[in-house]
Amino acid sequence: MHVAIAALTAALLAAPSLAQVSPPVRILGSNGLPMDKCAYNPASGLARLEPPLTNQMMLGMSLDWSYETPIKSRTKTRGYAAAVYNAWLDLVPNTFDGVGFDNSSFNWFGSEAGRVGAMLELTLNPPKDMKIADLKDLTPKMYDDIGKMCQIVNQQYGVPIFLRWAHEMNGDWYGWGNEPRAFIESWKLMTDAVRKHTNMTAMVWAPNIGMTYPFVGGGGTSARESPARGGLDFDVLDSNSDGKINECDNPYMPFWPGDEYVDWVGLSLYYYPRENCHNNCLTPADAFVSQLTGVNSPDTPSASLCPTDLWIQTHDFYQQFAASKNKPFMLPETGAPWVPTFANRTGGVSEVAIKDAWYKQIFSTETLARFPKLKLAVNFEEIKNLQLDKEPAIQDWRVTNNSETVKWWNGLINDFKDNLRDPTQLVYHCDGSITIGDKFAQAPATGGNAGGNGGNSGTTSPSKSAGVAMVASMSLGLAVLSVSFLLNL
Ligand SMILES: *[C@@H]1O[C@H](CO)[C@@H](O)[C@H](O)[C@H]1NC(C)=O
Ligand SMILES: *[C@@H]1O[C@H](CO)[C@@H](O)[C@H](O)[C@H]1NC(C)=O
Ligand SMILES: *[C@@H]1O[C@H](CO)[C@@H](O)[C@H](O)[C@H]1NC(C)=O
Ligand SMILES: *[C@@H]1O[C@H](CO)[C@@H](O)[C@H](O)[C@H]1NC(C)=O
């Protein structure tokens, strides 16, 4: 034991970037039951995993894990880790030894996020080919196993989880879309299962931006069309009860499961090039705010179809869900795309120009002042084969995949660094709270607010001192890291 720790300490000193830096967190007592100090306290006024931030936010990265990990990504950003890394996981009933999800990948995502002290955003998908009646495929055991696995990752790696379950449920492109009643029922089952096991996992309710809702016109390509007239889901989605589901209905509210079931709210919100832009067109100046609030949106229907003020009320996501409900708000996936195959078309702008114009709208003190519940923006660090106005167009949202964008991105982060919190400054606790401090000054065994072993005296002293020694060497590694970060950026 001691030998192994000594070897590990030497390895940590030699290669701090490979350190398993997040200490494990004791969530359950020795009797296997939740400990008092791990009870989430709603009276704190903060949601689970909401750090106390004023005029500040966090950034995240949604990685393509087939070639990238948080450590690799951090290397490209010169030692600056994101506070959150997103990974995707699909449920497949009756597979993976009956649990229905790949828990070894889940485990790996968590441990890799832990290596840089970050949190994990897990975008967990119901089975892709699910039909309306088939939510029964999700058994109580499946929900419970997911809750348990969240607990394991929270506890083993000290890594909090943002669980984004069944996202973009208001769209027609996933099998779980367009069925508000089944979604809400499933959401509640998932929330109850997770909370039974841990308070270090936050439920993130995250529809798609509703600007062209109800997104019809897919020409039979949708995974699930709007429900037929006369059904119960139809009545729920027809929020203004005019006998039609159209752009005058509320694109979000029919899917709201209730304030007590949601920790964070999120919105898939990108700069998406408009119709008639067969080029690398520049991001419009108000693209972010107009989509988020509905004010001055190019999608505003004519006032004769729906009164504009009413339409804005139902499409202002920030007001309805972040401000009114006092929920922390994230962009769980965002970005602005570059189309490499359009690179030489005349009239287009550069990749950096498009991405800079988008991110200057988000990483802005004006934005933080106007939208104080905005706490996290996660870049979609991926490339996708899509279409742009019916033309095939590979779209690249990555900000760190080539030398030009990575140089710009590092500069952008550096310019905004006083308003960003990186994971070295976020201390995670088993009650779901996050405090600001030097995470690496905390030994895992000091208990109390360190999120360590708490008042439970089951731990033996050798592992306590080993823990302290490990953390000391990690702080050293981190000191080296942060110095190089300051010099390089
Ligand atoms: C989570 O917090 C609640 C109080 O908000 C508490 O009752 C529950 O036992 C905690 N769950 C765990 C697994 O610690
Ligand atoms: C994953 O699930 C299998 C089957 O239930 C179980 O044996 C294994 O311990 C789980 N792995 C983890 C990391 O929880
Ligand atoms: C754009 O032009 C450059 C320089 O001529 C060339 O190397 C590149 O392949 C062209 N790209 C496309 C997508 O046509
Ligand atoms: C860029 O992305 C490709 C996959 O599309 C990957 O193989 C390559 O390693 C990436 N390069 C960098 C610098 O991230």
Side-chain angles (χ1 to χ4, degrees), residues 340-344:
T341 51
F342 296 178
N344 296 337

Side-chain angles (χ1 to χ4, degrees), residues 46 51-58 372 375 421 426 436:
L46 295 167
L53 301 179
T54 305
N55 296 321
Q56 286 186 323
M57 62 184 294
M58 303 180 285
K375 306 288 184 190
R421 281 291 181 189
L426 301 171
I436 307 300

Side-chain angles (χ1 to χ4, degrees), residues 135-136 143 165 179-192 257 261:
L135 269 171
K136 65 179 179 338
Y143 288 105
W165 168 237
E179 48 172 342
R181 291 171 313 130
F183 168 80
I184 287 173
E185 188 190 328
S186 165
W187 182 274
K188 290 178 175 175
L189 290 171
M190 184 66 86
T191 305
D192 289 343
Y261 287 96

Side-chain angles (χ1 to χ4, degrees), residues 255-318:
F255 299 89
W256 183 250
D259 294 18
E260 67 278 27
Y261 287 96
V262 174
D263 296 305
W264 282 61
V265 296
L267 194 58
S268 299
L269 202 180
Y270 291 88
Y271 161 55
Y272 204 80
R274 307 298 303 186
E275 286 155 28
N276 306 321
C277 168
H278 300 270
N279 210 333
N280 281 301
C281 300
L282 187 62
T283 320
D286 62 348
F288 174 63
V289 172
S290 70
Q291 291 188 80
L292 180 58
T293 66
V295 176
N296 295 327
S297 163
D299 297 299
T300 316
S302 76
S304 59
L305 185 59
C306 8
T308 301
D309 53 344
L310 222 57
W311 184 83
I312 290 176
Q313 267 175 38
T314 54
H315 285 69
D316 186 338
F317 184 90
Y318 186 83

Side-chain angles (χ1 to χ4, degrees), residues 27-28 33-42 48 151 194-199 430-431:
I27 285 181
L28 303 178
L33 297 172
M35 297 188 294
D36 290 346
K37 72 180 216 43
C38 297
Y40 163 66
N41 176 20
R48 284 178 185 78
Q151 182 207 91
V194 166
R195 289 185 183 167
K196 184 179 136 201
H197 293 288
T198 176
N199 281 309
C430 67
D431 62 358

